[in-house]
Amino acid sequence: MEPWPRIVVHADMDAFYAAVEQLDDPSLRGKPVLVGPKSARGVVLTASYEARAYGVSSAMPVGAALRRCPDAIIVGPRFDRYQEISSQVMDTLADFSPRVEALSMDEAFVEMTGAGRLFGSPTQMGRKIKEAVRKVTRLNISVGVASTKYVAKVASAHDKPDGLTVVPADGARAWLAPLPVSRLWGAGRKTVPRLHALGLRTIGDVATADARVLGRLGSLGAHFSALANATDPRPVNRTRVARSIGSDRTLVADVSRREDIELHLRRASDRIGRRLRAKRYVAHGVRVRLRTNRFQMLTRQRKLRQGVDLGAELRVAAESLLDQFDDPGPFRLVGMAAFDLAEREGDRQLDLFEDRAARELEMTVDDLMHRFGGGVLMRARDLADWATVANEGVNLDYLETTGPEDA
């Protein structure tokens, strides 16, 4: 076997949200668990492997999931708890290498090149990482080891759950060949049919395809050809800046009135502002998303003249975007995101015209929620309508750091 030119590990927690719920509540172990809202209107965030045996998957409507698995137990998400476990996982991975690139709360790349003297062969590295994560969290993690990020990521999903797949560099191209084109990074629901139309159904087909055929896919053709031939020179980045921080709410009842939409944007802006300040980010853009009851997603966004991290500033920008929507609704989802993020260096320099009282108020609320929990405070004007999403709707706060979107 040829020596490894590079060693990259991709570590991915198994059914992460559901696994945490089964860890904390022993009565859920061995049972089909869906993490998501207790409403047929919402979507499944994570399904346990017991539920997946019935064909249930993430992003599936809860109603459809329950039809496939009537005995499934629905558990509301607890993102603070997931973040706590995620931090333990990332700290554990950092014990193996200073170069850890987190992709989300439950998966990361680890650069292990040159670590053989400390941790042994690539297979031994993978085993030790799995053992260390299990010891700290009592949860299983699947690990892929390869010479490129792409192959390592595909390998980690190859033998889930609790898998370890090692793909040497000199065998990577052959290992990828029989896999379906859907496993190519960037080939999603829109692109896969285009590949099939060109007669390309496996990664091996793409690896040997004529450049003129792949050229019909534009720049994606060269990208897919490189991946199919196990070529991926991208480094493991020690730090990764988020692309956006967002908050989506699928509502118990559809809304049409502007004041009802503004209610949910106000709540979202408060949450996003707190998360921006906690992560020491400022946002240079705001995006609003509305999904109609016909399941059409509408999006409007705008750039800001300077970086902001206050909920009040985000709210004003978001509400100004409502004038650009020409669909009267009704809407079943109201979402908002802060994008074009930058890390804040040192103390934030205040704008000459910034409302200092607003900043002091939001910082005080940050402190109270940190000390006493997220439910300690709420706006008096929101009291009457709090139940519209708090217990039954989909409350999805996210940090988006994913790769290129599907073409």
Side-chain angles (χ1 to χ4, degrees):
M1 180 183 297
E2 293 292 327
W4 286 54
R6 183 182 173 206
I7 304 174
V8 178
V9 167
H10 182 260
D12 190 5
M13 301 297 290
D14 297 326
F16 182 50
Y17 296 171
V20 172
E21 298 301 335
Q22 290 176 321
L23 172 69
D24 290 351
D25 184 352
S27 70
L28 297 177
R29 296 174 190 173
K31 298 178 181 178
V33 174
L34 308 179
V35 177
K38 297 180 179 180
S39 167
R41 294 171 59 87
V43 296
V44 176
L45 301 181
T46 302
S48 69
Y49 281 93
E50 295 84 357
R52 296 182 190 192
Y54 291 85
V56 177
S57 62
S58 60
M60 177 179 288
V62 170
L66 290 176
R67 286 192 292 273
R68 295 190 180 193
C69 186
D71 295 329
I73 301 169
I74 303 176
V75 179
R78 299 179 297 149
F79 290 105
D80 288 345
R81 175 59 171 155
Y82 307 150
Q83 185 61 63
E84 177 185 359
I85 298 293
S86 173
S87 296
Q88 295 173 0
V89 173
M90 298 306 164
D91 287 346
T92 301
L93 296 179
D95 290 339
F96 287 85
S97 171
R99 296 175 64 183
V100 176
E101 180 180 345
L103 299 178
S104 63
M105 280 200 289
D106 60 341
E107 64 173 317
F109 287 112
V110 187
E111 178 67 62
M112 296 294 289
T113 306
R117 286 180 294 178
L118 292 174
F119 303 110
S121 68
T123 299
Q124 291 172 320
M125 291 177 185
R127 287 174 181 162
K128 289 177 180 179
I129 287 174
K130 287 171 59 65
E131 291 167 359
V133 171
R134 187 180 295 111
K135 181 178 180 180
V136 171
T137 67
R138 293 181 291 153
L139 296 174
N140 291 330
I141 191 168
S142 290
V143 170
V145 189
S147 287
T148 66
K149 293 172 73 173
Y150 167 65
V151 177
K153 183 172 174 64
V154 176
S156 70
H158 185 69
D159 193 27
K160 275 182 166 285
D162 197 22
L164 171 60
T165 301
V166 180
V167 184
D170 57 3
R173 191 172 183 270
W175 183 83
L176 289 171
L179 300 179
V181 291
S182 59
R183 303 302 301 276
L184 288 167
W185 210 339
R189 59 184 180 85
K190 296 180 181 179
T191 306
V192 168
R194 295 173 63 191
L195 288 165
H196 288 172
L198 295 174
L200 308 174
R201 294 194 168 271
T202 68
I203 293 180
D205 293 338
V206 176
T208 58
D210 188 278
R212 290 172 296 181
V213 173
L214 293 175
R216 299 176 191 175
L217 299 171
S219 60
L220 277 177
H223 167 70
F224 289 152
S225 178
L227 294 182
N229 284 283
T231 301
D232 181 10
R234 292 173 302 167
V236 174
N237 297 313
R238 183 176 178 180
T239 59
R240 185 178 177 89
V241 177
R243 297 196 321 193
S244 67
I245 291 177
S247 180
D248 286 351
R249 294 297 185 266
T250 298
L251 311 178
V252 173
D254 294 343
V255 296
S256 297
R257 298 188 308 162
R258 183 183 179 109
E259 52 264 41
D260 293 331
I261 298 171
E262 289 179 348
L263 165 69
H264 298 294
L265 291 179
R266 184 164 63 247
R267 294 171 178 169
S269 62
D270 288 341
R271 285 188 293 268
I272 294 170
R274 284 195 295 272
R275 298 186 70 204
L276 286 171
R277 294 188 294 276
K279 294 180 177 296
R280 299 186 64 81
Y281 288 152
V282 292
H284 293 85
V286 170
R287 180 183 303 118
V288 172
R289 306 200 310 165
L290 302 176
R291 176 177 286 148
T292 71
N293 63 353
R294 305 178 303 281
F295 291 89
Q296 179 184 10
M297 184 66 80
L298 309 174
T299 304
R300 300 292 185 271
Q301 66 183 42
R302 58 171 290 191
K303 299 296 291 289
L304 306 175
R305 65 183 179 86
Q306 67 172 27
V308 303
D309 63 357
L310 288 183
E313 297 168 320
L314 296 167
R315 175 180 57 79
V316 170
E319 290 180 353
S320 71
L321 288 170
L322 294 181
D323 294 328
Q324 299 181 24
F325 289 92
D326 52 13
D327 191 305
F331 303 106
R332 69 189 314 269
L333 175 146
V334 177
M336 175 180 168
F339 67 94
D340 194 5
L341 307 185
E343 294 182 358
R344 190 173 72 235
E345 297 291 343
D347 293 331
R348 183 180 185 273
Q349 182 175 354
L350 299 180
D351 183 80
L352 179 62
F353 301 103
E354 182 177 69
D355 187 340
R356 286 162 173 75
R359 172 165 293 278
E360 291 176 2
L361 174 61
E362 294 199 23
M363 296 292 285
T364 300
V365 171
D366 290 347
D367 182 58
L368 289 171
M369 289 192 170
H370 176 73
R371 294 171 59 189
F372 300 110
V376 68
L377 285 176
M378 65 181 299
R379 297 177 186 270
R381 65 194 298 185
D382 291 351
L383 283 171
D385 298 308
W386 183 252
T388 56
V389 295
N391 297 318
E392 298 180 68
V394 181
N395 303 325
L396 180 56
D397 296 324
Y398 60 88
L399 176 70
E400 183 189 18
T401 58
T402 54
E405 296 181 356
D406 180 33

